[in-house]
Amino acid sequence: MEMEQMVSASSHAEAGPFTRAWHWLKALPEKLWSKFVSVATKAKKLGQDDPRRIVHSLKVGLAITLVSLFYYFEPLYDGLGVSAMWAVLTVVVVFEFSVGATLGRGVNRGLATLLAGALGFGAHRLASFSGNICEPILLGLFVFLLAAVVTYIRFFPRMKARYDYGLLIFILTFCLISVSGYRDDEVLDMAQKRLSTILIGGATALFVCVFLCPVWAGDDLHNLAAINMEKLGSFLEGFGNEYFKTPSQGQSMEDKEILQGYRSVLNSKTTEESLANFAKWEPRHGRFRYRHPWQQYLRIGSLTRQCAYRIEALNGYLSSELKASQEIRSKIEDPCTKMSKDCSCALKELAQAVKTMTKPSTANCHIANSKIAAKSLKSMLKTGLWQDTDLLEIVPAATVASLLIDIVSSTEEIAESVNELASLANFRSVDDTGVAKGESKLSCSSSIKGPHHIITIHASTQSE
Amino acid sequence: MEMEQMVSASSHAEAGPFTRAWHWLKALPEKLWSKFVSVATKAKKLGQDDPRRIVHSLKVGLAITLVSLFYYFEPLYDGLGVSAMWAVLTVVVVFEFSVGATLGRGVNRGLATLLAGALGFGAHRLASFSGNICEPILLGLFVFLLAAVVTYIRFFPRMKARYDYGLLIFILTFCLISVSGYRDDEVLDMAQKRLSTILIGGATALFVCVFLCPVWAGDDLHNLAAINMEKLGSFLEGFGNEYFKTPSQGQSMEDKEILQGYRSVLNSKTTEESLANFAKWEPRHGRFRYRHPWQQYLRIGSLTRQCAYRIEALNGYLSSELKASQEIRSKIEDPCTKMSKDCSCALKELAQAVKTMTKPSTANCHIANSKIAAKSLKSMLKTGLWQDTDLLEIVPAATVASLLIDIVSSTEEIAESVNELASLANFRSVDDTGVAKGESKLSCSSSIKGPHHIITIHASTQSE
C-alpha cells in the first residue's frame, strides 16, 4: 500500500502543484477508507478479546442517558436546579469497568463530599466570626493548609491505593464549600443539594454496574491467577519437545505462540495489585464471600512471577546457538522431559483447582514425580556416562537441568501457596463432588500429549 | 507493644466491663500517640525519599488558594458567576506531580471541552428542530450513542495511554451542554463561561507547575533508566565477592541491601511507560529538546529488565544450599569475578553516560574484557582440570558461569541501545569536555573496590 503511494508520488514528482494536489485528493478516499478499515479491525479485535468491553460501553451509555433525562425532566425534582449537573458528572467519573472500582470510587466520592462539606462549613463559620478583613486571609490559609496536607497524604502508598480519588474530592469539596459559602449564605443548602445529586448519580451508576452483566474485579483476579499458572504450565509442557527435538523436526507458529505466552506473566504485578484493591471493595458475589482472602492471590502471583523469571532464563536456551549438542541433550532427555511435564501438569492442575475452587488433589503427586525425576537426573550426572565428553559442551545442558530443578522448587512453593488459599477460602475438596474430580483429571491428562508416566510415590521422596 | 497489650488484656480478663473499659481508656492516649508517631515517621520518610513531594504539596496548596481567592473576589470578574467553581475544579483535577502529566491533562481537558461543547451545541440545535415530543428521544439517543462509542474508544491502548482523561471530559461536556442546553437557551454563553473558567484554572495550575520548582517526567524517565542500570551494576559488583567468599567471611546488612537493589528493576515497566507518556507532552527543557527520543528509553528499559531476569536467576545461587563446593568455586573464581566486575563496570559507565548525556567511552572496552574472561572460562572448562570431579558437583557452578555469560551478552545489548540513544539524542562525546571524562572515569574506578584488572583488547575478541 505505502509502496504503491511512493511509486505514484515519485512518478509525479515533476508534475505541477495542481496535478500533485489532484493526485493527493484522488488518493484521499482510499487512504481514509484503509485507515477506517484498520481502526474497525482493531475495534473488532478489542471486542472479540473481551466482549465485556462492548457491554460496558453500552452500560455507561445507558447510565448517562438515564441521569441526563432525569436532569432534562428536572421540573419533577424541583429542588436540585443547576447542581443537578453534578449527577451527570458523578456518573461519568464514577462508572468504572468493574464493580469494585465503581464501588470504590462511589464510596470515596460520597464520604469525601460528606466529610469535606462538614469541615468546609466549619471553616467558613470560623472565618466569618473574624471580621471582614481577616476572613479572606483566614479562608485562604485554611484552603492552603488543607490542600497541601491532603496532597501530601496522597503520596502514602496505602492511601494512594485505596483512597486517592476520595482525597482529591475532599480537597475539591472543601474549597468549593468554604470559599463559595461566603457568597451566598446558603452553604448548608448547597452542600445538601450537592450531596443528594451525588447520591442520585452514584446510585444510578452503581445500579447499572451491579445489576446489568456485572464485571467483578475479584473474578478477574481469581482467573488471572489461574491463567498465569496455566501459561507457565503450557510453556513447560512444550519445552521438553522443543528443546530435545532433532533439527529436522519443524515448529509450527502456534507452538511458538504457546511457548511465548508466559511473557505476559513477567509484568503482571501492577494489574494484580489494582485488581486486588478493587476486589476488596466488592460485596459477597458468586463463589466469593465478602472477606475473601484476596491478599493471598498477590502472594500466589508473586511466586508465579518468580517461576516466570526462571522460565525466562530457560527460554534463552531454546535458541539453537545456545543449545547443547544433540548427543548430550539425548542423555538428559528422559529426566528433563519428565520434570518439565510433571511441573506443567502440577501447574495446570493448580490452575484448574483455583478455577473450580476445589482443593488440588494430584498436584503434590506430580511435584513428587518431578522430584524423583530430578533425583534420577542428579544420580545420572554422578555416573561415569560423561567421562569422555568435554565439560564445555555439557555446560548449557547442565544449566537447563539446573534451571529445571529450580523450577520444580518454584512449582512446589506455588503449590503450597495455592493450598494455603484453598484452606483460607474453604475450597471444597475433590471427594465431595464427582464432577470436580472428573474435570480436573480430564484437564490434566488431556494437557499432556506425550506418554504420561505414572510413577508411584516412594516414601523417601517426601524428605527432599 | 502488642505483646504488652495482650498480657494486660489477659490479666484483666476476669475483671468487670467497667474495669476493662477503664483500662482501654487509660491505654488510649498511648495508643493514639504511638499511632501518631508511626504516621509521622512514615511521612518524614516519604519526604526524605523525595523532597519534591513536599514542594509539590505546597505548590498544589498555592495554586488552589490563588484560584479560590480569585473566585472569592468574584465581583472583579462579574461574567463568570457560579461556573467559576469550574476553575477550582480544574486546578484540583489537572494539577499533577510532573509538568508532562499536568500539561497532558490540561490540554486534554481544554480540547475535549471545546470539541464536545461544539458537538453538544450542534446536537442540541438538531434536536430542537424536531419538535417537542421527538426532542428528548433524540437527545437521549445522541447521549447514549456518544457515551457508548467514546467509552469503547477508551479501551484502545493508544487512546488510553494519552487521551483517556480527554475522552472522559468529552462525554461529560457533551452531556452537560446538549441536555442542559434545553433548560436555558444560553447554551453558547454557558459554553463560553465554562471554557474561560477552565482556561483560568488550567493556566493557574500550569503556571505554578512549570515556574515553581518544576518536576519534569522526562528527567525522571532519564534518571530511572540510569538508576536501573546502576542497580544491576551494583549487584554484579558485589556478586563476585559474595559468591566466592569463604564461609568464614560474614556479610553486612548493607551489602545484602545493595545486592537486592535490582529487584525493583523487575517491575519497572509500568512506571517507565507512564513516564514516557507524560514526557511526550513536555516542551523543551533543560538538556532535552522537544522531540527527545523518549521511546528509546523504553527499549533500554526492556533490555535492562531482560538482564534483571537473568540476575534474578543468578541470585538464587547465592543461597548456601545451592552453592557449589568451595573447591570447585575457587577454580572458576578468577574468570567469573572478572566477568561480573567488568559487566558491572560497563553497566555503571553506561548509567553514568546516560546521566551526564555523554557518549559512553569505556563501556565497550569493559564488555570486550568480560568477553575475554568468558572465553578464558570456556577454555578452562575444556581442560582436564575437572577429570576427577563429580559432574553433579559442577552443575551449580556451571550454571552460574552460564548465566554470567548470558549477562555479558545482555550487557552488550544494553550498551548497543544506549549507543543508539546517544546518537539519536546527540550526546556530546567525552573528548569535548575534560570534566565529563574525569567524572565518568572517577565513577567507574571508584565503584570497584577490589583490584581492577586492565586487559588490552585483543583483535580477535570482536568477532565473538
Side-chain angles (χ1 to χ4, degrees):
Chain A
M1 181 65 213
E2 271 180 58
M3 197 62 198
E4 248 175 70
Q5 273 171 239
M6 273 170 66
V7 169
S8 87
S10 69
S11 67
H12 296 290
E14 293 98 37
F18 284 107
T19 327
R20 262 183 288 158
W22 170 243
H23 279 284
W24 184 81
L25 266 178
K26 225 170 67 177
L28 193 64
E30 202 182 326
K31 264 195 262 179
L32 285 178
W33 177 248
S34 74
K35 182 81 196 160
F36 173 78
V37 167
S38 92
V39 169
T41 318
K42 269 184 210 159
K44 200 180 154 199
K45 198 177 168 301
L46 271 179
Q48 277 170 338
D49 285 352
D50 192 349
R52 296 179 305 174
R53 288 173 178 152
I54 301 172
V55 178
H56 171 72
S57 304
L58 295 177
K59 276 161 68 184
V60 172
L62 178 68
I64 293 178
T65 310
L66 281 179
V67 173
S68 294
L69 289 184
F70 177 88
Y71 183 23
Y72 182 86
F73 293 117
E74 190 204 325
L76 291 173
Y77 306 85
D78 217 23
L80 298 178
V82 112
S83 60
M85 70 179 165
W86 288 107
V88 178
L89 201 149
T90 302
V91 174
V92 175
V93 296
V94 157
F95 208 124
E96 293 271 329
F97 190 58
S98 66
V99 175
T102 308
L103 247 173
R105 278 180 93 91
V107 170
N108 262 310
R109 193 179 174 91
L111 280 186
T113 304
L114 203 64
L115 285 176
L119 206 66
F121 183 67
H124 171 249
R125 286 300 289 270
L126 204 70
S128 68
F129 288 136
S130 65
N132 266 349
I133 300 162
C134 274
E135 189 169 349
I137 300 173
L138 216 59
L139 274 179
L141 198 73
F142 284 156
V143 167
F144 177 79
L145 278 179
L146 187 117
V149 168
V150 175
T151 305
Y152 195 69
I153 291 176
R154 287 177 71 196
F155 284 115
F156 282 74
R158 262 204 213 166
M159 299 305 275
K160 186 150 201 81
R162 295 205 74 185
Y163 305 109
D164 195 52
Y165 184 65
L167 292 170
L168 193 81
I169 295 297
F170 190 85
I171 302 178
L172 181 63
T173 309
F174 180 83
C175 294
L176 290 185
I177 296 285
S178 68
V179 178
S180 82
Y182 183 73
R183 290 286 109 203
D184 46 31
D185 235 352
E186 305 167 324
V187 188
L188 275 180
D189 186 49
M190 178 179 157
Q192 178 255 320
K193 267 185 198 165
R194 190 161 140 66
L195 201 66
S196 61
T197 47
I198 284 181
L199 280 180
I200 290 170
T204 314
L206 260 179
F207 185 85
V208 175
C209 188
V210 174
F211 291 103
L212 285 178
C213 316
V215 174
W216 301 98
D219 280 8
D220 278 7
L221 179 62
H222 183 86
N223 292 334
L224 186 66
I227 287 169
N228 281 349
M229 283 189 274
E230 210 171 276
K231 278 178 181 167
L232 300 192
S234 299
F235 176 90
L236 290 172
E237 189 188 340
F239 176 79
N241 291 335
E242 179 62 23
Y243 187 71
F244 295 105
K245 75 173 183 215
T246 51
S248 61
Q249 290 173 300
Q251 186 194 29
S252 71
M253 274 312 287
E254 210 177 307
D255 285 352
K256 211 153 220 166
E257 235 166 64
I258 289 174
L259 277 176
Q260 297 306 309
Y262 77 92
R263 281 180 178 273
S264 67
V265 182
L266 297 171
N267 292 308
S268 56
K269 195 180 182 220
T270 325
T271 316
E272 273 175 13
E273 280 178 354
S274 65
L275 282 178
N277 273 325
F278 296 152
K280 282 177 198 159
W281 288 108
E282 288 174 354
R284 178 189 198 97
H285 62 274
R287 304 169 293 173
F288 307 103
R289 57 177 209 273
Y290 173 54
R291 283 187 179 281
H292 193 74
W294 300 117
Q295 213 61 33
Q296 185 65 19
Y297 289 92
L298 297 185
R299 247 161 269 149
I300 295 176
S302 122
L303 290 171
T304 310
R305 271 193 300 285
Q306 201 76 28
C307 188
Y309 298 145
R310 285 166 177 178
I311 283 181
E312 168 79 13
L314 196 60
N315 186 49
Y317 290 88
L318 279 179
S319 73
S320 45
E321 318 93 79
L322 285 170
K323 261 189 193 175
S325 72
Q326 180 69 31
E327 190 199 356
I328 289 171
R329 273 187 282 145
S330 68
K331 283 185 187 168
I332 58 165
E333 173 164 1
D334 207 42
C336 281
T337 313
K338 266 185 206 160
M339 273 157 76
S340 82
K341 284 257 152 94
D342 270 313
C343 277
S344 151
C345 227
L347 283 169
K348 288 198 166 184
E349 215 245 293
L350 290 171
Q352 192 65 22
V354 168
K355 250 186 215 162
T356 56
M357 294 188 88
T358 50
K359 281 186 184 141
S361 55
T362 59
N364 283 337
C365 157
H366 284 296
I367 289 170
N369 282 350
S370 65
K371 277 178 164 181
I372 294 173
K375 253 197 172 167
S376 79
L377 176 67
K378 282 178 188 170
S379 62
M380 181 186 283
L381 291 172
K382 269 188 187 156
T383 59
L385 202 62
W386 310 85
Q387 226 46 282
D388 309 328
T389 5
D390 202 346
L391 186 59
L392 179 60
E393 292 204 7
I394 303 174
V395 166
T399 310
V400 165
S402 187
L403 286 171
L404 274 174
I405 293 172
D406 289 352
I407 286 170
V408 171
S409 64
S410 233
T411 308
E412 201 181 6
E413 283 179 278
I414 296 175
E416 268 166 35
S417 68
V418 170
N419 279 325
E420 214 172 303
L421 174 69
S423 68
L424 281 172
N426 298 323
F427 282 9
R428 66 186 194 286
S429 74
V430 182
D431 312 326
D432 298 356
T433 50
V435 185
K437 196 170 184 175
E439 264 174 37
S440 76
K441 263 207 175 160
L442 183 78
S443 97
C444 199
S445 53
S446 75
S447 67
I448 296 176
K449 284 162 200 157
H452 181 43
H453 306 273
I454 294 158
I455 300 172
T456 38
I457 315 170
H458 199 268
S460 72
T461 58
Q462 249 92 16
S463 65
E464 184 146 319
Chain B
M1 179 68 216
E2 270 178 60
M3 196 63 198
E4 249 174 69
Q5 274 170 238
M6 274 170 64
V7 170
S8 87
S10 68
S11 67
H12 296 288
E14 294 96 37
F18 285 106
T19 327
R20 262 183 289 159
W22 170 242
H23 280 283
W24 184 82
L25 266 179
K26 224 171 64 176
L28 194 63
E30 202 183 327
K31 264 195 261 178
L32 285 178
W33 177 249
S34 73
K35 182 83 195 158
F36 173 78
V37 167
S38 93
V39 169
T41 319
K42 269 185 209 156
K44 201 179 151 199
K45 198 178 167 302
L46 272 179
Q48 276 171 338
D49 285 352
D50 192 348
R52 298 179 304 176
R53 286 173 179 153
I54 301 172
V55 177
H56 171 73
S57 305
L58 296 177
K59 276 161 69 183
V60 172
L62 179 68
I64 293 178
T65 311
L66 280 179
V67 172
S68 294
L69 289 184
F70 177 88
Y71 182 23
Y72 183 86
F73 293 117
E74 189 204 325
L76 291 173
Y77 306 84
D78 217 25
L80 299 178
V82 111
S83 60
M85 70 179 166
W86 288 107
V88 178
L89 200 148
T90 303
V91 174
V92 174
V93 295
V94 157
F95 208 124
E96 293 271 329
F97 190 58
S98 67
V99 175
T102 308
L103 248 171
R105 277 180 93 92
V107 170
N108 262 311
R109 193 179 173 91
L111 280 184
T113 305
L114 203 65
L115 285 176
L119 206 65
F121 183 67
H124 171 248
R125 285 301 290 272
L126 204 69
S128 67
F129 288 137
S130 64
N132 267 348
I133 300 161
C134 275
E135 190 171 347
I137 300 172
L138 217 58
L139 275 180
L141 198 72
F142 284 156
V143 167
F144 177 79
L145 279 180
L146 187 118
V149 169
V150 175
T151 304
Y152 195 68
I153 291 177
R154 286 177 71 196
F155 284 116
F156 283 74
R158 264 203 213 169
M159 299 305 273
K160 187 150 201 80
R162 296 204 74 186
Y163 305 109
D164 195 51
Y165 184 64
L167 292 170
L168 193 80
I169 295 297
F170 190 86
I171 302 179
L172 182 62
T173 309
F174 180 84
C175 295
L176 290 186
I177 296 283
S178 68
V179 178
S180 81
Y182 183 73
R183 291 284 112 204
D184 47 31
D185 233 353
E186 304 165 322
V187 188
L188 275 181
D189 187 48
M190 177 180 158
Q192 178 254 320
K193 267 186 198 165
R194 189 162 140 66
L195 202 65
S196 61
T197 46
I198 284 181
L199 279 180
I200 290 170
T204 314
L206 260 180
F207 185 85
V208 174
C209 186
V210 174
F211 291 103
L212 286 178
C213 317
V215 174
W216 301 99
D219 280 8
D220 279 6
L221 179 61
H222 184 85
N223 293 332
L224 186 66
I227 288 169
N228 281 349
M229 284 189 273
E230 210 171 277
K231 279 179 180 165
L232 300 192
S234 299
F235 176 90
L236 290 172
E237 191 189 337
F239 176 78
N241 290 333
E242 179 63 23
Y243 187 70
F244 294 106
K245 75 173 182 209
T246 51
S248 61
Q249 290 171 297
Q251 187 195 29
S252 71
M253 273 312 287
E254 209 177 307
D255 285 352
K256 212 153 219 167
E257 235 165 65
I258 288 173
L259 278 176
Q260 297 306 312
Y262 76 92
R263 279 181 180 271
S264 66
V265 182
L266 296 171
N267 292 309
S268 56
K269 193 177 184 226
T270 325
T271 316
E272 273 175 11
E273 278 177 355
S274 65
L275 281 179
N277 272 325
F278 295 152
K280 282 178 197 158
W281 288 107
E282 287 175 356
R284 179 190 197 96
H285 63 275
R287 304 169 294 173
F288 307 103
R289 56 176 210 273
Y290 173 53
R291 281 188 180 281
H292 193 73
W294 300 117
Q295 212 60 35
Q296 184 65 19
Y297 288 93
L298 296 185
R299 246 161 270 149
I300 294 176
S302 121
L303 291 171
T304 311
R305 269 193 301 284
Q306 200 77 27
C307 189
Y309 297 146
R310 286 165 178 180
I311 284 181
E312 168 79 12
L314 196 60
N315 186 50
Y317 291 88
L318 279 179
S319 73
S320 45
E321 318 89 81
L322 284 170
K323 261 189 195 175
S325 72
Q326 181 70 31
E327 191 200 357
I328 289 170
R329 272 187 282 145
S330 68
K331 283 185 188 168
I332 58 164
E333 174 165 2
D334 207 42
C336 281
T337 314
K338 268 185 206 161
M339 272 158 75
S340 82
K341 284 256 152 95
D342 271 310
C343 277
S344 151
C345 229
L347 283 169
K348 287 199 166 183
E349 216 245 293
L350 289 171
Q352 192 65 23
V354 168
K355 251 187 213 161
T356 56
M357 295 188 87
T358 50
K359 279 183 184 144
S361 55
T362 60
N364 283 337
C365 158
H366 284 297
I367 290 170
N369 281 352
S370 65
K371 276 177 165 181
I372 294 173
K375 252 195 172 170
S376 79
L377 176 67
K378 281 178 188 169
S379 61
M380 181 188 281
L381 291 172
K382 268 186 189 160
T383 60
L385 201 62
W386 311 87
Q387 225 46 283
D388 309 330
T389 5
D390 203 345
L391 187 60
L392 179 60
E393 294 206 2
I394 303 175
V395 167
T399 310
V400 166
S402 188
L403 287 171
L404 274 174
I405 292 172
D406 289 351
I407 287 171
V408 171
S409 64
S410 233
T411 308
E412 201 179 5
E413 283 179 279
I414 295 175
E416 269 165 36
S417 69
V418 170
N419 279 325
E420 213 172 303
L421 174 69
S423 68
L424 280 172
N426 298 321
F427 282 9
R428 66 186 194 284
S429 72
V430 182
D431 312 325
D432 299 354
T433 50
V435 185
K437 198 170 183 179
E439 265 174 35
S440 75
K441 263 206 174 160
L442 182 79
S443 96
C444 199
S445 54
S446 76
S447 66
I448 296 175
K449 283 163 200 156
H452 181 42
H453 306 272
I454 294 157
I455 300 171
T456 38
I457 313 169
H458 201 269
S460 72
T461 58
Q462 250 91 18
S463 65
E464 184 148 318

